[in-house]
Amino acid sequence: MLIDLFDCDGLADLDLVERALRTGVAASGATMLDLRLHHFGPGQGVTGIALLAESHMSIHTWPEHGYAAVDIFLCGPAQLLQAARDTIAAALSAGRVEEKTISRGYGAAL
Amino acid sequence: MLIDLFDCDGLADLDLVERALRTGVAASGATMLDLRLHHFGPGQGVTGIALLAESHMSIHTWPEHGYAAVDIFLCGPAQLLQAARDTIAAALSAGRVEEKTISRGYGAAL
């Protein structure tokens, strides 16, 4: 699930982005293996990536545009993807959410 | 760019997947900030994620299906995305490559 979040707040806040990612992973029911964050500097964007037993979840933020790109790559039911999406969108106070859900690879034919 | 690689070899080989990711990042001209790998066990799949100054690149492998899912999330010209794709596909000896290129967020309207 590729999610574009617009009109967000707090996108230059490393701790906030980390919480968004952690609560998103928790909402999805996935198992976190590792979590890496990078802050590009005060007032600038944050990248966060969670390695999951089920694949990964990433957030990249552009505070100057109020925009965050969230990717959720999971094997699992749609409700869990949606729960993760809603949790992250709420954590970042997104005003508008757009998404695409794309089935991948051999699983796309199942 | 979301890439599905079919009929691959070596997908249970952690070192091979790491090399595929490192050479893919090099081919893209992106700046690697961090590289995390996880092997799910002997004969099983590998997850690799590169945090980039330009966003991220990920590989998830399913050796039992000869299948790897590669995501390349970059700001940059199409040729560099294609160079990364071709480099990773060659490193994993992919027999078939399918891809979707999706513009994201505020950048999609530029």
Side-chain angles (χ1 to χ4, degrees):
Chain A
M1 183 181 279
L2 308 181
I3 306 163
D4 291 326
L5 301 178
F6 300 91
D7 305 323
C8 298
D9 290 327
L11 297 185
D13 181 338
L14 186 73
D15 294 340
L16 181 70
V17 174
E18 177 173 351
R19 278 202 304 279
L21 203 44
R22 285 189 182 279
T23 56
V25 171
S28 76
T31 301
M32 179 119 68
L33 300 173
D34 200 355
L35 178 67
R36 311 303 296 184
L37 290 138
H38 182 79
H39 199 171
F40 289 90
Q44 297 191 51
V46 175
T47 281
I49 301 190
L51 264 76
L52 307 176
E54 296 80 1
S55 287
H56 74 266
M57 208 173 290
S58 67
I59 299 179
H60 303 288
T61 77
W62 284 262
E64 68 276 27
H65 296 280
Y67 169 75
V70 176
D71 292 7
I72 304 177
F73 191 142
L74 281 180
C75 320
Q79 302 94 289
L80 292 178
L81 284 162
Q82 292 157 2
R85 173 202 63 201
D86 293 346
T87 300
I88 293 172
L92 301 179
S93 309
R96 185 161 59 91
V97 179
E98 296 187 4
E99 73 184 59
K100 293 184 179 71
T101 303
I102 298 173
S103 296
R104 298 295 294 276
Y106 72 93
L110 296 181
Chain B
M1 183 182 278
L2 307 181
I3 306 163
D4 292 326
L5 300 178
F6 300 92
D7 306 324
C8 298
D9 291 328
L11 297 185
D13 181 337
L14 185 73
D15 294 340
L16 182 70
V17 174
E18 177 172 350
R19 278 201 305 280
L21 203 44
R22 285 187 182 279
T23 56
V25 171
S28 77
T31 301
M32 179 121 67
L33 299 174
D34 199 356
L35 177 67
R36 310 303 296 182
L37 289 137
H38 181 80
H39 199 171
F40 289 91
Q44 297 191 52
V46 175
T47 280
I49 301 190
L51 264 77
L52 308 176
E54 295 79 4
S55 288
H56 75 267
M57 210 175 288
S58 67
I59 300 179
H60 303 289
T61 77
W62 283 262
E64 68 276 26
H65 296 280
Y67 169 75
V70 176
D71 292 7
I72 304 176
F73 191 141
L74 281 182
C75 321
Q79 302 93 290
L80 292 178
L81 283 162
Q82 292 156 4
R85 173 202 63 200
D86 293 346
T87 300
I88 293 172
L92 301 179
S93 308
R96 185 160 60 90
V97 178
E98 296 186 4
E99 73 185 59
K100 293 184 179 72
T101 303
I102 298 174
S103 296
R104 298 295 295 276
Y106 73 92
L110 295 182

